[in-house]
Amino acid sequence: MHQLPPGQRAISTFPRFGLPQFASRVVAADQAVRIEIGGAVEQEVEITADTLSNLPRVEQISDFHCVTTWSKVGLQWSGYRLLDLYEQIIQPLAIPDSAAQYLLFRCLDGYKIPIMLCDLLTSDVLLADRLDGKALDSAHGTPIRLVSPQQYGYKNPKHIKRIEVWVDPPPEHPSRFRFINHPRARVAYEERGQKLPGWLLRHVYRPLIGTTIRRFARFEEGVVSP
Ligand SMILES: Nc1nc2c(c(=O)[nH]1)N[C@H]1C(S)=C(S)[C@@H](COP(=O)(O)O)O[C@H]1N2
Ligand SMILES: [Mo]
């Protein structure tokens, strides 16, 4: 049997998922890749599919772990290493502050998430534009998303439109949901949140999975209007 990280359980489908407020924000699937690079840089740069095509294309099979304890094993991603983008395009063209420690990802549906550079610049972190042989759809991150298998799903932003370089930790929303965002969110260490221990949060999150999956699916199918 496939060994899953602590507290995780495999499910057979790969559901559209996230925080409830993003369920209704379905991103249309016909957009071209356009990622602005900004923040603590000398020069803002825009990344398109053309820019990315200069980097080696990488195929990767990896497991996906949501903080609410569901995992989907064996997803087949295709895209570009964030490490290659950072070293070959962002560093020479945008010239990030040498003290940079975070990238803040901003998404077309309004989702945003800071991720530490030390967790991003590894060989298995991809900017993926394809899943299981097809272009990413509205459910899974069109036109391009981050895939960071060693971190929980909430550090795998979909529909990326802007990446900002930050030296200090980007400010978080004052109180709401602060406990869910662990600065590193490493699956192997069960870093589910910053206020409560991971094993405890398992039990908080598990009962929410079913209703969240159904809610996201209804909006994706256009059955419910916002
Ligand atoms: N733009 C965006 N990215 C997002 C989310 C979201 O709501 N919007 N949800 C996050 C969470 S909590 C999870 S578990 C995964 C779910 O990815 P999936 O919808 O492809 O299964 O996306 C993450 N990235
Ligand atoms: Mo998640």
Side-chain angles (χ1 to χ4, degrees):
M1 248 305 279
H2 202 87
Q3 185 69 41
L4 286 175
Q8 295 298 116
R9 295 173 180 174
I11 58 174
S12 57
T13 56
F14 185 36
R16 175 172 182 258
F17 206 87
L19 290 173
Q21 67 264 39
F22 298 99
S24 64
R25 305 186 194 167
V26 180
V27 175
D30 50 12
Q31 311 185 43
V33 173
R34 266 174 70 119
I35 307 175
E36 301 165 6
I37 308 294
V41 295
E42 281 185 23
Q43 179 67 49
E44 291 232 352
V45 170
E46 188 177 84
I47 307 287
T48 64
D50 267 2
T51 325
L52 293 171
S53 68
N54 294 308
L55 302 172
R57 182 167 277 279
V58 175
E59 314 290 329
Q60 173 172 298
I61 295 176
S62 48
D63 299 346
F64 189 95
H65 309 290
C66 173
V67 72
T68 62
T69 73
W70 63 263
S71 293
K72 177 71 180 122
V73 305
L75 292 171
Q76 193 189 318
W77 301 103
S78 177
Y80 305 91
R81 283 198 187 94
L82 192 81
L83 178 65
D84 291 337
L85 177 73
Y86 199 76
E87 288 182 351
Q88 294 178 42
I89 293 165
I90 296 181
Q91 281 187 324
L93 298 183
I95 315 175
D97 190 308
S98 59
Q101 283 205 73
Y102 297 83
L103 295 183
L104 176 65
F105 292 79
R106 294 184 183 273
C107 308
L108 292 165
D109 60 354
Y111 187 78
K112 63 171 194 219
I113 190 77
I115 310 181
M116 294 193 74
L117 268 178
C118 60
D119 290 317
L120 288 168
L121 303 183
T122 65
S123 63
D124 61 352
V125 175
L126 304 187
L127 275 179
D129 57 358
R130 300 179 72 77
L131 168 63
D132 292 336
K134 295 189 290 272
L136 285 185
D137 60 12
S138 299
H140 296 301
T142 184
I144 196 155
R145 80 172 304 164
L146 195 79
V147 173
S148 179
Q150 297 180 55
Q151 295 180 289
Y152 287 116
Y154 66 90
K155 299 285 190 182
N156 289 237
K158 304 187 280 188
H159 322 297
I160 297 168
K161 68 163 185 191
R162 182 175 167 85
I163 303 175
E164 289 175 10
V165 174
W166 284 69
V167 173
D168 298 314
E172 283 176 59
H173 201 278
S175 62
R176 201 162 46 127
F177 298 127
R178 176 173 287 216
F179 75 98
I180 71 163
N181 181 23
H182 190 285
R184 304 203 63 186
R186 288 170 299 178
V187 178
Y189 300 97
E190 212 172 346
E191 293 168 338
R192 293 183 198 273
Q194 48 183 299
K195 298 282 181 224
L196 296 168
W199 60 265
L200 184 70
L201 285 172
R202 288 180 202 174
H203 304 288
V204 175
Y205 285 138
R206 237 172 229 154
L208 308 174
I209 296 174
T211 47
T212 306
I213 289 176
R214 284 190 291 276
R215 184 180 162 85
F216 270 76
R218 280 202 303 276
F219 282 108
E220 185 196 352
E221 291 152 7
V223 177
V224 176
S225 46

